[in-house]
Amino acid sequence: MAETTIALETPLPPRDLSHNPKRYLVLGATSGIAEATCRIWASEGANIFLVGRSEEKLRAMAGDLRVRGAAFVDIAAADLDRLEDHPGLLAHAITQLGGLDVAYLAFGILGEQPKAETDVAHAEQILHTNLTAPVSMLTWLANFCLKQGRGTLAVLSSVAGDRGRKSNYVYGASKAGLTAFVDGLRNRIDREGVAVLTIKPGPVKTAMTASMPGSEKFADVNAVAKDIANAIAKGEGGVMYVPAKWRPIMAVVRAIPDSVFKKLNL
């Protein structure tokens, strides 16, 4: 099937195809973690629909996934900050896939903390991209999955949302809000047969983090992707830290008294 850039009209209802191979909708597909996860799914012969900002990168990624064994790959280049486009984009993607088994939300921006401290517009952009836009898409996707009575929603949040730190509190606030929203969404729909998985990575070596101090010590993106793919394959909701060591680390961070925490250079 020919690749598409974007279609915003309301398409026909999803075709009733076999659930094997699985059908994955990947939002923010060109992010380092998402791309590594898609390579795993491609090796399993999956059907994959990629959404991202750069059509050039999406086309290159689609070609790579086909070589790796994906049964079907299509793309849509779109600005996911445009909330008004979400219903048409999501419906189009699901129609092209012939249904939906997993929606994987992996988009977001780090932003610039020093700039966000004085530029409200920049802080608002971080919050919009990392919180408002995912909330819009998850609301639509959750209701779609409820109607079909199944599906998995997997959402990349971050350990940065577990406690505000002076070095990245605007980004952290956006991820804290996303985590709280996904927690509540899981509580609402998990009992209806829809799994909602919150994924909290620690620092991972990707293009987005390459310029950060100490990035050479960050987690390997392929190992992180493997853990994520395994968790999604279980079809269970919940919260996962990846690498797993971050669960006890963040438990300690959250337990530090505020009188001590505010004196730390974090």
Side-chain angles (χ1 to χ4, degrees):
M1 186 172 291
E3 294 174 341
T4 53
T5 52
I6 187 170
L8 296 179
E9 71 276 7
T10 302
L12 296 172
R15 293 164 292 182
D16 184 14
L17 299 181
S18 169
H19 298 170
N20 188 21
K22 282 194 172 182
R23 297 160 293 190
Y24 296 90
L25 168 58
V26 185
L27 301 156
T30 58
S31 72
I33 296 176
E35 185 170 3
T37 313
C38 286
R39 289 172 183 159
I40 296 171
W41 292 331
S43 71
E44 298 169 351
N47 295 326
I48 307 172
F49 195 102
L50 309 171
V51 181
R53 195 180 294 269
S54 169
E55 182 175 352
E56 181 181 1
K57 290 181 180 178
L58 289 170
R59 287 187 180 277
M61 184 176 169
D64 177 70
L65 295 179
R66 293 188 187 104
V67 170
R68 292 175 185 271
F72 167 87
V73 185
D74 199 356
I75 69 170
D79 181 355
L80 297 182
D81 282 343
R82 291 176 55 86
L83 308 187
E84 64 273 21
D85 292 349
H86 289 176
L89 172 64
L90 295 171
H92 168 74
I94 292 171
T95 297
Q96 296 303 98
L97 281 172
L100 180 67
D101 296 305
V102 176
Y104 183 32
L105 277 73
F107 64 93
I109 57 173
L110 284 173
E112 301 175 36
Q113 176 63 33
K115 183 178 180 180
E117 291 171 8
T118 58
D119 185 343
V120 174
H122 185 60
E124 183 181 33
Q125 181 61 63
I126 297 169
L127 292 166
H128 182 88
T129 300
N130 293 353
L131 176 58
T132 306
V135 164
S136 169
M137 306 197 93
L138 285 167
T139 298
W140 193 98
L141 289 165
N143 290 321
F144 175 87
C145 288
L146 279 174
K147 288 181 181 178
Q148 69 174 9
R150 57 179 177 78
T152 297
L153 305 178
V155 185
L156 275 186
S157 186
S158 172
V159 297
D162 279 18
R163 189 163 189 179
R165 296 178 292 132
K166 69 177 185 179
S167 61
N168 68 349
Y169 64 80
V170 177
Y171 173 79
S174 69
K175 292 299 186 177
L178 180 60
T179 293
F181 178 85
V182 176
D183 284 348
L185 182 64
R186 179 168 49 252
N187 187 252
R188 172 193 160 208
I189 67 175
D190 184 78
R191 67 198 70 189
E192 304 296 334
V194 183
V196 182
L197 178 66
T198 306
I199 304 162
K200 294 185 177 184
V204 179
K205 283 186 285 188
T206 65
M208 187 170 72
T209 62
S211 62
M212 296 176 65
S215 61
E216 68 279 359
K217 298 179 182 179
F218 291 175
D220 177 71
V221 69
N222 293 310
V224 167
K226 183 177 180 181
D227 288 344
I228 291 172
N230 287 340
I232 291 174
K234 293 178 181 178
E236 300 173 357
V239 179
M240 71 173 296
Y241 287 79
V242 57
K245 68 179 183 180
W246 283 99
R247 185 180 293 275
I249 290 173
M250 295 314 298
V252 171
V253 170
R254 291 193 304 271
I256 298 173
D258 191 61
S259 60
V260 176
F261 190 79
K262 67 184 180 181
K263 297 177 183 178
L264 300 177
N265 190 29
L266 298 175

